Structure formats: C-alpha cells, structure tokens
Amino acid sequence: MTQLASEINQKNKTGGHSTRLLYRGQGRPVRKLFSQKQLVLALKTIMTAFWSEARFRTVTAKLPRKDTSLLIHPQTLGYEWSIEFIKNSKKPVWLYLMDSSFFCIRSYNYMAHMESACTKCIGGDLTHALNNRCSTDFGSTEGAMEFISSLKELSTRVKVRFIAQNKQQAELAKKHFGEKATVKIGGIWAADWCLEEAPAPAVTPHKYDIVFHAPPLDAKGFSWALELAEVLTERRFLFPFEKPEWVTNALPNCTFKDFRWESGLREAVTGCPLVLVPSLWSAPIEGALIKSIRLAQKTAVIRNETAYSREIPEDVLLQLTFDVKRAAEEIEVYFANRQKASPQAGKNFYDDFMQSNTRLLERLLRLTFD
C-alpha cells in the first residue's frame, strides 16, 4: 500500500489528479519485542513511532481539504484522527475497506468457537461486543467503538463513501451503512502477488501433505487446523511459524518451522497436495489464498458465506465444512481422488484475477473521481 500511495501522489503531480491517499504501515509489535526481551529494539521502535506520528500529523495538517481523500486502514491512521479528518473535509472522504473494522471492534470479525464469521454488530448495535468484552489491538476499545458509531453517522450525512475489495464485503457494508450508502468495488493491490516467473520447486516431493498458509490466529483458522491435525493423524502438516507456547498437545504429525514466503514458505506451498487457508472471519481478498491457488495442487477453505472465497468458482477450491470430523472426511475423499484433479482451474483463476487486479491505481482514481 505504501507503493500505491506513492504512485497516486505521483499521478497527482503529473496527471492533474487531486486524489490523496492516506495510509500508514504497521510498525513492529512492541509488546512482542518486550516479551522476547529485545529491549533495545523495542525502545528504538517506540522512538520511531513517536517521530513518525509527529511527522504524519504535521504533513496531514497542511493537506488542502478541498481535495478528494482516500483513507486506508483507520486503525493505524488513528480512529479519532480519521473521524476528525472526515468531519473537517469539504468533500466526502473515501474509505478503502481493508478488513471489518467498519463494524467490528476486533477488525477480524470472529469469536472463538463460533462456526463462522460474527456479524452481530452489523447495523451499529454494539451490545454484543460489550457483553463479550471484545477488544482491539489498535488503541483503546472505547476509541474503536466511537469510530464505528461515528462512521455510521457520518455515512448518513454523506461525509464518507466506501470502496470494498470484493462483492461479499460490499454487501456487508451495505447491510451496515444502509442501501443509500455509496459502496463501490475496487479490488486490491496485487502487484506483489505476481508469480509469472518459473515456480520454485518443492523442497521435497510430498514432504508435507497439508500446509497451513496463515498466521497463528483463531480468526485465520489456526485452532481449527490443530483440531484437524489431531483427527488426520496419518497426514503430515506444516505450520510456517514457531509452535506457540499455549499449544501443549503432542502433535507428532505436525512440523512447526518459522519461515516467510521468501525463505521457504513458497517452496513448501508449490506443488503441495493441499494448502489450508481456512479464515473464519469475513475475509476479503487474501494474498495467501491467491498465491496458494496458483502454486498448490489444491487449496482448501472453510465454507464461509461472508468471505471472498465464496465468490471463487467451486472447481478452484475445496470448500470444507466447519465440523472438523466431516472436514477430515472431505479431505480424505479429495486425497483418494487427487490424481483426477487438475490444478489448471486454479491457474486459470489466478491469471484472470491478476489481470483485473494489477491496475488498482487507475481504478481507484476512476472510482473516486467526482
């Protein structure tokens, strides 16, 4: 997104456009650095954050309020700052929806032990969030709640408009803000997902039967995948991160190895019989899903009516049920018939997806043009 912001600002200088993209990347997680006893790095991170905050406030204070503005990720921009910016802008501000923070305090709208995404706060009633003590990793919970309430009120005054990544996310936004709200579909910045080069070879053919391609979060299906591994004891699983301390069960069929896409994960995904991307929240377009579809023999998700995966053709994905035992049976059926399956459908889908999502810059400028 930083590259996208730079290119939009360059267009403003050379092409006569007046759309300003405001985005701040996420810094290093300070709490994690302290827990790992990396005190010097943690202090440097805090100092960098303070400097970045001061610079951001100074630069944005000078922005002309008559320009069209596009905000991305209000959590890192600051909930209070985002609302004040929208209120003070002379033109309606566009908000690009990265996640579910427009209605969910957690941003990833999933609660443990639910069978799918939680949409109980759609419409603006946050009683459910209060009763379940939902919290945010960005600022205060009160700030997140005020942001959700204020954003809905500002949408009724046509002070803010929305760009969703995909159809399912746009439908959620319409349900939350009302049918009169302006919600357009823009796709996603996919330039970093180009895999036209020759795929890297698999480390060892069939070293793993199943690769979990996501971080260790409940909303991303990690706990669900652990339960699956306990049922499919004859299948070899790979989790591309260190084993969390809270995972105490003996899992002899699971390998935990901390590496990133560039340092081994791509090779593990390439040609893997089955890659799991089992998000349980209302996930829009995820890079892990798109890249897995392109490189793995087959990619599996949990059937989720509010996620982008429901927009993908049936022959591309293995759609699993939430019930772990039934999902295990579905996976074994797939393995029994795997030789008949062709990865061509996934490759064709990837090619079509990339063709329509590598020109996000032009699309955003067109969608926000008044």
Side-chain angles (χ1 to χ4, degrees):
M1 283 299 174
T2 302
Q3 182 181 350
L4 177 63
S6 176
E7 291 191 13
I8 283 184
N9 292 334
Q10 185 63 32
K11 281 277 188 179
N12 290 333
K13 295 177 181 178
T14 60
H17 296 280
S18 59
T19 298
R20 302 287 177 179
L21 188 151
L22 300 176
Y23 167 76
R24 298 179 71 189
Q26 299 183 42
R28 290 174 177 266
V30 176
R31 291 179 187 174
K32 184 176 181 180
L33 293 175
F34 275 116
S35 67
Q36 295 174 341
K37 298 182 179 180
Q38 299 185 48
L39 302 182
V40 175
L41 186 55
L43 292 173
K44 286 183 178 179
T45 300
I46 292 173
M47 292 174 65
T48 300
F50 275 115
W51 177 85
S52 176
E53 178 75 11
R55 182 175 179 275
F56 176 78
R57 301 303 180 210
T58 300
V59 171
T60 54
K62 298 177 182 179
L63 288 178
R65 301 299 167 135
K66 60 179 174 50
D67 287 353
T68 298
S69 297
L70 174 63
L71 307 187
I72 297 181
H73 208 259
Q75 299 97 313
T76 48
L77 289 172
Y79 286 127
E80 183 178 356
W81 180 90
S82 298
I83 291 300
E84 288 303 310
F85 185 87
I86 294 170
K87 286 180 178 179
N88 295 328
S89 293
K90 294 182 179 179
K91 299 178 70 172
V93 172
W94 289 89
L95 178 62
Y96 181 86
L97 304 179
M98 290 283 287
D99 47 43
S100 298
S101 61
F102 61 96
F103 72 88
C104 176
I105 291 172
R106 295 170 178 259
S107 295
Y108 290 169
N109 57 312
Y110 174 74
M111 297 185 64
H113 308 303
M114 292 186 71
E115 293 189 5
S116 191
C118 175
T119 57
K120 294 186 177 181
C121 291
I122 286 280
D125 184 355
L126 300 177
T127 303
H128 178 76
L130 286 170
N131 291 341
N132 287 278
R133 299 181 180 179
C134 294
S135 60
T136 177
D137 292 331
F138 301 93
S140 68
T141 298
E142 293 75 15
M145 295 180 69
E146 180 62 29
F147 170 77
I148 293 170
S149 299
S150 297
L151 192 66
K152 192 170 192 306
E153 188 267 332
L154 289 168
S155 72
T156 63
R157 292 163 47 192
V158 200
K159 290 285 292 180
V160 59
R161 299 169 178 170
F162 306 94
I163 295 179
Q165 295 180 33
N166 56 287
K167 180 182 176 182
Q168 299 298 98
Q169 189 182 47
E171 289 181 357
L172 286 175
K174 278 287 188 180
K175 287 180 182 178
H176 180 67
F177 294 111
E179 287 301 318
K180 292 184 179 180
T182 300
V183 182
K184 299 183 180 182
I185 298 176
I188 196 169
W189 177 256
D192 295 338
W193 305 346
C194 289
L195 302 171
E196 283 82 13
E197 304 82 5
V203 176
T204 303
H206 310 302
K207 183 175 183 179
Y208 306 108
D209 298 305
I210 300 172
V211 171
F212 177 77
H213 192 182
L217 300 172
D218 277 351
K220 297 279 189 174
F222 175 51
S223 294
W224 182 89
L226 289 178
E227 292 182 27
L228 182 69
E230 290 180 336
V231 177
L232 293 173
T233 55
E234 299 302 312
R235 295 296 173 189
R236 297 158 297 177
F237 284 73
L238 169 67
F239 294 90
F241 40 77
E242 293 180 359
K243 185 178 181 181
E245 293 182 0
W246 59 268
V247 179
T248 56
N249 294 356
L251 299 166
N253 61 325
C254 296
T255 297
F256 289 86
K257 186 175 182 180
D258 188 18
F259 51 26
R260 301 293 180 265
W261 185 252
E262 300 81 7
S263 60
L265 180 54
R266 173 174 173 161
E267 288 79 1
V269 167
T270 300
C272 179
L274 188 65
V275 173
L276 282 179
V277 191
S279 284
L280 289 162
W281 66 294
S282 301
I285 304 171
E286 297 179 293
L289 179 62
I290 302 302
K291 291 187 283 188
S292 296
I293 288 173
R294 172 62 181 85
L295 296 178
Q297 289 186 32
K298 196 71 174 182
T299 301
V301 299
I302 297 175
R303 190 172 292 106
N304 185 338
E305 297 301 325
T306 62
Y308 171 67
S309 57
R310 290 302 288 160
E311 301 175 34
I312 298 176
E314 290 288 337
D315 61 339
V316 174
L317 293 175
L318 178 60
Q319 299 266 359
L320 303 172
T321 55
F322 177 81
D323 181 86
V324 171
K325 290 184 178 179
R326 287 183 59 191
E329 293 172 358
E330 292 164 350
I331 288 174
E332 289 300 352
V333 169
Y334 158 72
F335 273 100
N337 298 280
R338 182 162 60 92
Q339 299 303 325
K340 301 177 184 178
S342 171
Q344 191 60 45
K347 293 177 180 177
N348 291 341
F349 169 82
Y350 171 85
D351 291 341
D352 291 341
F353 174 88
M354 292 302 295
Q355 186 174 1
S356 63
N357 282 277
T358 51
R359 302 183 67 85
L360 180 62
L361 172 60
E362 290 82 359
R363 187 179 298 125
L364 289 178
L365 291 175
R366 185 177 69 252
L367 291 175
T368 57
F369 180 76
D370 290 328

